Amino acid sequence: MRPLLSLIRVLPALLIAALAARVQASGPVERMVQVLVQSDDARHVVVRWGLASEGFLISRDGGTTFTAMCSQAITPTADARDKLRSISGQKVPSAAATLIDASGKLLVGQLNGLWSDDGNGCAWSKQLDPAWVNGLRLDASGNVLALVTTRAGEGEATTAKAELRRRDAAGAWTTLGALRAEQPLQRVYGADLIAGPTRLYASAAVAVGALDVRETFRVFASDDAGVSWREVSELPASQQDGFTLLAVDPRDAQRVLAVTYRDGATDTLLLSEDGGVTFRTYGDIRETSGVVFAPDGRLFVGDAGDASSNDATGGLWTAPRTGEPLKLVAGTQFVDCLGWDADANTLRSCKRDRYGTLDPTSGVFTERARLDQVAAQVSCPGTDVVAACSAQLNAGPSWCCAGHYPFTPFCSAYDVTIDGSQRVFCGLAGQAYDRNAGRLPVGYDAGPVTPQPAVTMPDAGALAARSSKDGCALASSSRAGWLALVLVVLMRRSWRRRDRVSS
């Protein structure tokens, strides 16, 4: 497929750029990227952590205390491809196909179907199979809406369609309408689904003909809850790459927010005031991390900044109404997720590895939880969650040694080095650094943390023995192994942020 071939062509440049970024990178790589709240029970809060790895923090007391699980615990037997791309998210992490339904169950869209838990992060069961779930929303009645892509045929005879499905209160699924009527050799890959009070919007990549025909992104709309769809626009070339639908203004279904996502460069926030027919530039956002509307119509846009540089720290952008000029709220930076807290009349927010509330006027962030301080795991009868998560690609000292954040609910702190062609030093962020990558952790309010003295181990066997804690094991410490890890990280990021069409 074209996206995969494009990735192969640019991989050397991506590798060089990533290595350069790693020298500048500071703090943990894993961060909180999405917050979900049950519509009729604000005590049920789920925060998704992701990027280099992924999983969920689950709270039943409004976000005061959390238990942790990883995406690998959903499908422990998933193949390598699904482990790398477990949650079928979009380029903007907050647009990932996840939600809490009206009964309190967490739904997670994956490349191999839709999964649902029992309301406690356990007993996962597949809802839709086979289907690539592109977007999940709730309608006004609390029914689940899923935009899914299915494929048929092989080679040049491959066809694909994107259609909306609805699950009612009894759990029964109904196929509503396809975005485009079927025709030979047509491929319609769903991308985004957003919902307003009276209208649904979806985007999709469309191609007709041989497999080398380039896909173009289109916007579709439905005014009858997804039974019928009309194509409202084919995006111009300048908006094709990285296009992601974000939200419908709840007060005006004609106003649609979207973004042209650019990995490694500033995003362009887009606004349509004619129902998706045309989009104009609304603002420049370093890295878009979500859109939220307050009950009084205020618009908030999260900017995650740049994780590899302290020069682009992001922040919270706001406007009194959609279409009015956006202004940056003073004192804010690194807004990695957004959600409205109706009880406190303020914003739920993530700041790298921290979750809390963000005052939309003063910009003051109040921390309520931190990723590396979540000590409890989800307890599921008959399932060893710790073992499943420790086996996930991101878990364990091998990822710390590649410059990634050791997620402490599944891995203990470790603090070791080895001699030889590759020299690594692993430890908690703020306490140690990765010498091989030149990664120096930086405090949120202070300067670089002084590295701790290294503890030299005589050989890799002794290192692995010392580092095998709480089900975590050290991977190969050779230079080739380290480069392989970097390559996997690059491919994973490119897949999740660039690859809109399943290969």
Side-chain angles (χ1 to χ4, degrees):
M1 295 295 292
R2 180 180 56 81
L4 183 57
L5 292 175
S6 299
L7 171 62
I8 293 172
R9 294 190 190 103
V10 302
L11 201 51
L14 287 174
L15 181 58
I16 294 172
L19 290 174
R22 285 165 58 83
V23 174
Q24 304 176 45
S26 62
V29 174
E30 279 77 10
R31 50 179 169 154
M32 300 179 182
V33 294
Q34 187 180 22
V35 57
L36 308 169
V37 182
Q38 187 174 337
S39 58
D40 58 351
D41 184 1
R43 296 170 300 175
H44 188 188
V45 178
V46 174
V47 179
R48 184 166 69 89
W49 50 274
L51 296 188
S53 60
E54 60 190 10
F56 299 92
L57 304 181
I58 301 173
S59 174
R60 284 291 187 173
D61 57 12
T64 301
T65 60
F66 289 90
T67 55
M69 66 161 290
C70 64
S71 60
Q72 179 67 8
I74 300 175
T75 54
T77 59
D79 61 28
R81 177 183 170 88
D82 283 341
K83 288 179 183 179
L84 284 173
R85 304 171 62 182
S86 189
I87 298 174
S88 57
Q90 307 296 358
K91 300 185 179 187
V92 179
S94 62
T98 58
L99 63 76
I100 302 175
D101 69 15
S103 67
K105 294 182 178 180
L106 178 61
L107 301 180
V108 178
Q110 297 186 310
L111 292 173
N112 63 350
L114 176 66
W115 293 78
S116 172
D117 74 348
D118 60 356
N120 299 297
C122 300
W124 292 87
S125 60
K126 187 171 284 191
Q127 299 274 302
L128 294 174
D129 183 31
W132 174 20
V133 180
N134 309 112
L136 290 171
R137 301 287 171 177
L138 293 178
D139 67 14
S141 300
N143 298 315
V144 175
L145 300 177
L147 178 66
V148 302
T149 296
T150 56
R151 294 196 303 180
E154 297 291 338
E156 291 295 328
T158 298
T159 62
K161 62 181 178 180
E163 60 189 13
L164 194 72
R165 301 185 188 181
R166 179 179 63 207
R167 193 192 71 184
D168 61 23
W173 286 94
T174 303
T175 298
L176 298 180
L179 298 191
R180 278 174 61 106
E182 294 187 55
Q183 59 176 294
L185 299 184
Q186 175 176 262
R187 298 176 301 283
V188 183
Y189 297 98
D192 312 305
L193 174 67
I194 56 175
T198 60
R199 184 176 298 165
L200 301 175
Y201 289 94
S203 65
V206 179
V208 180
L211 288 178
D212 59 357
V213 173
R214 181 182 177 87
E215 304 92 358
T216 58
F217 271 88
R218 321 284 179 92
V219 176
F220 302 83
S222 173
D223 292 310
D224 56 10
V227 175
S228 62
W229 293 86
R230 65 183 187 279
E231 183 176 314
V232 296
S233 65
E234 179 177 345
L235 296 172
S238 61
Q239 297 174 354
Q240 283 279 336
D241 292 334
F243 181 85
T244 303
L245 290 173
L246 296 177
V248 185
D249 188 326
R251 296 190 170 199
D252 186 350
Q254 289 288 97
R255 295 176 178 266
V256 182
L257 286 164
V259 66
T260 299
Y261 184 95
R262 298 183 179 91
D263 197 2
T266 299
D267 299 345
T268 300
L269 188 66
L270 303 172
L271 172 62
S272 174
E273 297 174 289
D274 54 13
V277 177
T278 60
F279 288 86
R280 66 174 175 86
T281 297
Y282 189 29
D284 292 325
I285 307 295
R286 192 64 182 86
E287 183 176 324
T288 310
S289 59
V291 170
V292 169
F293 290 94
D296 62 5
R298 283 176 296 165
L299 167 66
F300 300 101
V301 180
D303 186 343
D306 187 344
S308 66
S309 171
N310 288 328
D311 296 330
T313 59
L316 177 69
W317 297 86
T318 184
R321 297 287 185 275
T322 308
E324 296 188 24
L326 290 168
K327 294 183 179 180
L328 184 65
V329 177
T332 58
Q333 60 178 352
F334 301 131
V335 176
D336 290 285
C337 77
L338 276 180
W340 185 255
D341 187 336
D343 291 339
N345 198 38
T346 188
L347 291 166
R348 302 177 188 270
S349 180
C350 306
K351 184 177 180 180
R352 293 299 187 253
D353 62 336
R354 297 184 287 173
Y355 165 77
T357 56
L358 180 64
D359 187 287
T361 302
S362 67
V364 173
F365 176 80
T366 303
E367 180 181 320
R368 302 185 67 181
R370 189 180 293 230
L371 185 61
D372 67 346
Q373 293 178 355
V374 177
Q377 299 89 44
V378 171
S379 178
C380 299
T383 301
D384 190 339
V385 174
V386 174
C389 293
S390 296
Q392 190 169 346
L393 187 60
N394 67 281
S398 61
W399 281 89
C400 168
C401 293
H404 290 268
Y405 192 55
F407 187 34
T408 52
F410 306 114
C411 299
S412 294
Y414 33 85
D415 193 67
V416 291
T417 65
I418 59 173
D419 290 322
S421 59
Q422 179 190 0
R423 184 175 178 84
V424 294
F425 184 108
C426 296
L428 294 176
Q431 297 177 348
Y433 68 105
D434 176 352
R435 288 185 177 181
N436 195 61
R439 175 173 175 266
L440 295 174
V442 177
Y444 289 100
D445 303 311
V449 178
T450 302
Q452 301 297 309
V455 177
T456 302
M457 300 300 291
D459 54 48
L463 175 61
R466 176 168 176 172
S467 299
S468 297
K469 298 181 179 180
D470 292 349
C472 300
L474 183 67
S476 170
S477 58
S478 67
R479 183 177 298 274
W482 181 82
L483 288 174
L485 283 170
V486 174
L487 185 62
V488 169
V489 174
L490 280 171
M491 294 184 71
R492 172 178 171 74
R493 285 192 172 186
S494 181
W495 274 332
R496 292 189 62 194
R497 291 186 168 187
R498 294 176 181 269
D499 214 1
R500 293 303 209 97
V501 180
S502 172
S503 58

